[in-house]
Amino acid sequence: MTTLALNNVRPYGEDVTNILIDVTDGVIDAVGENPFDDADEVVDCGGNVLLPGLVDMHVHLREPGREDTETIATGSDAAAKGGFTAVFTMANTSPVIDQPFLAEAVWTKGQEYGKCDVYPVGSISQGLKGEQLTEIGLMSRSGVRMFSDDGKCVNDPQLMRRAIEYAKAHDVVLAQHAEDHRMTEGSVAHEGEQAARLGLRGWPRVAEESIVARDAIMTRDYGGRYHLCHASTEGTVELLRFAKNQGIDVTAEVTPHHLMLTDEKLATYDGLFRVNPPLREARDAEALKQALLDGNVDVVATDHAPHGSEDKCVEFEHAKPGMLGLETSLAVVHRIFVESGEADWRFVAKVMSERPAEILRLEDQGRPINVGEPANLVLVDPQSPWTAHGDEMASKASNTPYEDIEFSARVVGTWLRGTQTYDAKKA
Ligand code: DOR
Ligand code: ZN
């Protein structure tokens, strides 16, 4: 057995301890008061914070089809650098992930590269056309745990009803991108004062909320496990509260950008700030933050959406929607919740690792830092200032909305089943 000691760590930001990893089996072999100095490899972690590896329910790795903007390999690098050990990559690639062999190819590529477990999301409708359902049963048998037409909404209520019934029968998660497309035609920004001032066509809150309300009621009546992608409005938070209070099986995610940024950013007409759903107002961001704190929103997911500069450095209306997220999300969540004193590292572990793993029923992710558990871990230095720059990202793309923003928390190292997938010292 080959061993690795992570000495002088603070699991969940609490008391200092020492961890011994069995690298051969990829599990935590011992946790103890005294440093493990006899291990094959010994790392002094300087009292940094140790968390379970992060799990991102929502990324876009663009392979197959747009390998010029991101690949499973570069996306895995970005994930490892951001502290992630598992990501779920959406089906809106080219071709769309709507058949078992395509889903299997994504998983296999991720495993071959080995930096992060890359779980494929299967599409709900064939070709994301919103017409025919995919073979949810066949794909679930080849290991697909979540289905989504993300990028597009399953608008047709009859198709959604049947998707819910099939997803229930196969016990998989349905993830909805809630956007009534009839209400958002041509819109590029949140409908409100800012869009009016800038002369941009607006996407009203109701375009999201009406779908959330409908889906909650469908889930009440037809069952299944419903997950809402990128909740973005105060009203959505109220609807989630209503649904959860009724015992309806809905979960929801919020992105770091909907927590930290608002449509005030659009004043420069910089295409970097175009995203779906759009950046909203301060009261929406505040409601989402409170909802994450009180559990009405379950998890943080990045919606990491790489785009080339030819699609971002253009007039606002022509910019493609989407922002990078994997390499900045932990720093953003730390800034909003930990630095502000509103929550602790246990909370971060819950919303970025434990809850997503639970929702997707991953048995080897989001686990407690204990003997016998898989060594999926991230080491974080909470006081290591750094500044975000798009051109320094591990991602192939550089469309970060946090350009020139200084953060305090930095990922120092990431381990997947005991193997180091990111090392800040070597980066
Ligand atoms: O901004 C977004 N970009 N929202 C989505 O729903 C899709 C994503 C993408 O694929 O670029
Ligand atoms: Zn989406």
Side-chain angles (χ1 to χ4, degrees), residues 58 60 150-151 177 229-230 276-277 303:
H58 189 154
H60 298 269
D150 181 66
H177 166 119
C229 297
H230 39 55
N276 283 346
D303 195 5

Side-chain angles (χ1 to χ4, degrees), residues 58-277:
H58 189 154
V59 304
H60 298 269
L61 300 191
R62 306 296 189 216
E63 182 174 353
R66 286 305 302 266
E67 291 86 348
D68 57 317
T69 59
E70 195 81 291
T71 65
I72 288 168
T74 60
S76 295
D77 287 337
K81 189 172 171 191
F84 292 88
T85 48
V87 299
F88 283 73
T89 186
M90 284 295 173
N92 66 336
T93 48
S94 179
V96 170
I97 308 301
D98 58 5
Q99 295 181 65
F101 81 93
L102 292 164
E104 284 158 16
V106 169
W107 171 256
T108 305
K109 276 218 167 183
Q111 291 302 295
E112 281 168 2
Y113 192 64
K115 294 275 188 83
C116 184
D117 287 349
V118 179
Y119 285 91
V121 177
S123 70
I124 294 171
S125 71
Q126 292 176 26
L128 291 194
K129 291 203 183 84
E131 291 163 5
Q132 302 283 328
L133 284 185
T134 56
E135 294 280 3
I136 289 176
L138 286 182
M139 276 194 278
S140 76
R141 252 169 276 159
S142 68
V144 178
R145 294 158 187 262
M146 180 160 66
F147 291 80
S148 181
D149 272 8
D150 181 66
K152 286 187 182 166
C153 181
V154 181
N155 247 13
D156 180 343
Q158 189 57 19
L159 190 75
M160 188 61 185
R161 177 196 173 156
R162 286 197 284 120
I164 288 175
E165 288 170 338
Y166 274 97
K168 183 184 178 203
H170 297 284
D171 201 15
V172 291
V173 175
L174 269 196
Q176 175 74 294
H177 166 119
E179 171 184 3
D180 189 330
H181 291 296
R182 287 280 291 126
M183 297 196 76
T184 61
E185 275 167 36
S187 61
V188 297
H190 165 63
E191 184 181 287
E193 257 176 54
Q194 178 72 333
R197 202 177 301 127
L198 300 175
L200 298 172
R201 180 146 355 159
W203 154 333
R205 293 185 179 92
V206 65
E208 171 172 309
E209 293 161 13
S210 57
I211 297 291
V212 175
R214 179 201 76 179
D215 288 353
I217 293 165
M218 281 200 188
T219 304
R220 178 192 69 193
D221 289 358
Y222 307 128
R225 296 149 65 201
Y226 177 89
H227 178 76
L228 176 66
C229 297
H230 39 55
S232 77
T233 76
E234 189 181 26
T236 289
V237 166
E238 280 161 29
L239 290 163
L240 288 167
R241 185 166 294 127
F242 161 85
K244 290 197 174 200
N245 283 342
Q246 303 241 326
I248 304 170
D249 195 353
V250 301
T251 55
E253 72 195 29
V254 61
T255 68
H257 49 271
H258 288 110
L259 288 168
M260 174 146 164
L261 308 173
T262 65
D263 65 353
E264 281 179 23
K265 287 282 183 193
L266 274 47
T268 57
Y269 290 96
D270 189 331
L272 283 175
F273 299 109
R274 186 163 174 209
V275 67
N276 283 346

